[in-house]
């Protein structure tokens, strides 16, 4: 592609994003609002205020269909209330509070004993996972979702305890984890939940201290980490939270200074 054509393509993409984006998210790092952008390893998903979803790049198991898109294109998913992207799957909630899954279900992260790799997104809504769902968060190969009663469920890969069910075996059925939950988040093999009192719980991969438990032991059950938490932003190997007083705390991998501390400590095992 010629330099002028590349410049034009980038300019169009920037204008599209500026015109339609609200907030930018990684793999379910926050609870998205009206308009949002969700980043995967090699692709980007844009949820418009109308509920329509657009995509750029090369999306996980569908690279044979979408081989690198420079310009945003619709994927045939509409009426989207919320969306979250994992390593090889995505999940979204529509206006009827129905949760759908699209992509690979190789670890049962989408639905029971079904590999729902789809030949195309177009005119395909995916498989129904559950109803009456208000929040969803995808890790690499696991899925968390929250119903309207504040009950948190998990399914999928569980080798590091990321499902929070007290064991490390894969689950091909949604399993109840916590109640009285207000918000959830996931990234990589980590999982987080904020309850209605503002208590933060963490579980899963803890090799870099990213759960904030003061050690590097993986957790297969939710462990209370902080109180008075408003938002949580997991990065997979490091984590940030915003508390109700507006202060921001971080912990986990700091080998490249990603926590923003003056200290050059490689791992921060507890909130600071």
């Amino acid at each position: 592609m010629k330099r002028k054509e590349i410049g034009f393509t980038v300019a169009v993409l920037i204008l599209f994003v500026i015109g339609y984006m609200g907030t930018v998210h990684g793999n379910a790092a926050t609870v998205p609002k009206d308009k949002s952008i969700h980043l995967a390893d090699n692709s980007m998903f844009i949820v418009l205020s109308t509920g329509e979803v657009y995509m750029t790049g090369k999306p996980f198991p569908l690279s044979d269909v979408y081989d690198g898109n420079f310009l945003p294109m619709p994927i045939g998913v509409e009426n989207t209330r919320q969306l979250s992207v994992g390593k090889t799957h995505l999940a979204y909630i529509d206006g009827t509070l129905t949760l759908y899954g699209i992509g690979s279900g190789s670890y049962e992260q989408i639905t029971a004993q079904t590999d729902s790799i789809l030949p195309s997104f177009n005119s395909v809504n995916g498989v129904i996972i559950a109803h009456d769902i208000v929040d969803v968060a995808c890790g690499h190969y696991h899925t968390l979702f929250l119903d309207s009663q504040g009950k948190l469920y998990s399914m999928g890969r569980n080798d590091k305890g990321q499902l929070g069910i007290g064991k490390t075996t894969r689950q091909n059925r949604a399993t109840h984890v916590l109640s009285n939950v207000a918000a959830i988040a996931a990234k990589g093999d980590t999982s987080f939940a904020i309850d209605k009192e503002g208590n933060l719980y963490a579980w899963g991969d803890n090799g870099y201290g990213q759960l904030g438990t003061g050690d590097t032991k993986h957790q297969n059950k939710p462990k209370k980490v902080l109180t008075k938490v408003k938002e949580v932003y997991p990065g997979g190997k490091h984590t940030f939270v915003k508390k109700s007083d507006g202060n921001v705390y971080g912990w986990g991998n700091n080998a490249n200074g990603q926590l923003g501390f003056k200290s050059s400590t490689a791992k921060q095992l507890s909130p600071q």
Side-chain angles (χ1 to χ4, degrees):
M1 183 178 289
K2 296 181 180 179
R3 183 174 298 178
K4 290 184 178 180
E5 293 175 338
I6 294 174
F8 176 77
T9 298
V10 172
V12 173
L13 175 58
I14 291 173
L15 289 174
F16 183 93
V17 171
I18 291 175
Y20 287 109
M21 72 175 283
T23 52
V24 178
H25 307 283
N27 294 1
T30 62
V31 178
K33 300 294 185 181
D34 194 22
K35 306 173 184 179
S36 58
I37 286 181
H38 304 263
L39 305 179
D41 285 352
N42 300 303
S43 58
M44 174 176 68
F45 294 86
I46 306 166
V47 181
L48 307 187
S49 58
T50 59
E52 189 176 8
V53 179
Y54 280 70
M55 178 203 70
T56 63
K58 183 181 292 188
F60 28 87
L62 301 175
S63 57
D64 58 333
V65 178
Y66 298 108
D67 188 17
N69 296 287
F70 287 95
L71 295 177
M73 61 177 293
I75 66 172
V77 173
E78 301 178 348
N79 193 28
T80 304
R81 186 176 186 269
Q82 180 164 333
L83 179 145
S84 183
V85 184
K87 191 80 170 180
T88 62
H89 74 294
L90 69 81
Y92 72 95
I93 304 168
D94 71 5
T96 67
L97 302 186
T98 300
L99 176 64
Y100 294 86
I102 292 178
S104 173
S106 56
Y107 291 98
E108 283 81 47
Q109 67 266 43
I110 290 180
T111 189
Q113 300 174 338
T114 300
D115 190 341
S116 60
I117 296 177
L118 306 176
S120 171
F121 273 123
N122 295 324
S123 302
V124 177
N125 289 325
V127 294
I128 295 177
I129 299 175
H131 298 279
D132 196 31
I133 304 302
V134 297
D135 199 358
V136 60
C138 296
H140 277 343
Y141 304 106
H142 74 288
T143 305
L144 308 178
F145 53 93
L146 182 66
D147 71 13
S148 63
Q149 304 302 310
K151 294 181 179 179
L152 168 62
Y153 297 86
S154 65
M155 61 193 306
R157 188 173 181 175
N158 194 33
D159 58 320
K160 296 178 181 176
Q162 56 265 49
L163 298 187
I165 57 176
K167 54 185 178 180
T168 57
T169 54
R170 183 192 306 180
Q171 296 297 303
N172 60 12
R173 293 287 191 276
T175 304
H176 179 245
V177 181
L178 283 173
S179 297
N180 196 40
V181 175
I184 57 177
K187 181 78 172 183
D189 297 322
T190 63
S191 301
F192 297 86
I194 303 173
D195 70 15
K196 295 178 181 179
E197 280 70 52
N199 298 309
L200 175 68
Y201 294 85
W203 61 97
D205 182 13
N206 198 29
Y208 291 87
Q210 60 264 50
L211 299 184
T213 56
D215 55 37
T216 56
K217 297 179 180 178
H218 301 329
Q219 297 290 325
N220 60 22
K221 288 185 179 181
K223 187 169 184 178
K224 186 176 176 180
V225 177
L226 278 176
T227 61
K228 299 180 180 180
V229 174
K230 185 177 181 181
E231 300 170 0
V232 57
Y233 301 91
K237 295 180 180 179
H238 66 296
T239 307
F240 285 95
V241 299
K242 181 179 180 181
K243 299 192 71 174
S244 56
D245 61 5
N247 289 323
V248 176
Y249 295 80
W251 59 88
N253 185 20
N254 193 41
N256 297 303
Q258 55 264 57
L259 296 181
F261 299 155
K262 292 182 180 179
S263 170
S264 58
T265 302
K267 295 179 183 179
Q268 176 63 40
L269 303 183
S270 57
Q272 180 174 319

